[in-house]
Amino acid sequence: MTVLYIVLPLAVLLAACAVIGFIWAARQGQLDDLETPALRVVTDDDAGSGAWTAKAPTHPGPAAAKQPSE
């Protein structure tokens, strides 16, 4: 029963922080346009401009240096 004296105020504080965060995000315009970022992925024609493009290694690496023993 005494644990409720700790958990209940923490739950109320966490809920208040969530509400304050939501109000801040809504006032800053974070929730204004929810459709354009999702559609931008579909209509993106520039496939090679991202930072995650796969590139061939410039050197063979340690795996290629090992010779199979027969």
Side-chain angles (χ1 to χ4, degrees):
M1 185 70 177
T2 59
V3 74
L4 288 178
Y5 294 125
I6 297 171
V7 174
L8 192 60
L10 285 177
V12 171
L13 181 67
L14 183 65
C17 288
V19 169
I20 289 170
F22 177 77
I23 291 171
W24 174 82
R27 286 187 179 172
Q28 295 295 320
Q30 298 290 323
L31 304 173
D32 285 347
D33 187 12
L34 297 177
E35 293 180 12
T36 302
L39 294 176
R40 190 176 300 148
V41 174
V42 177
T43 61
D44 189 16
D45 292 335
D46 197 16
S49 68
W52 293 99
T53 19
K55 295 181 181 177
T58 57
H59 57 85
K66 294 181 181 178
Q67 297 293 331
S69 59
E70 292 182 19

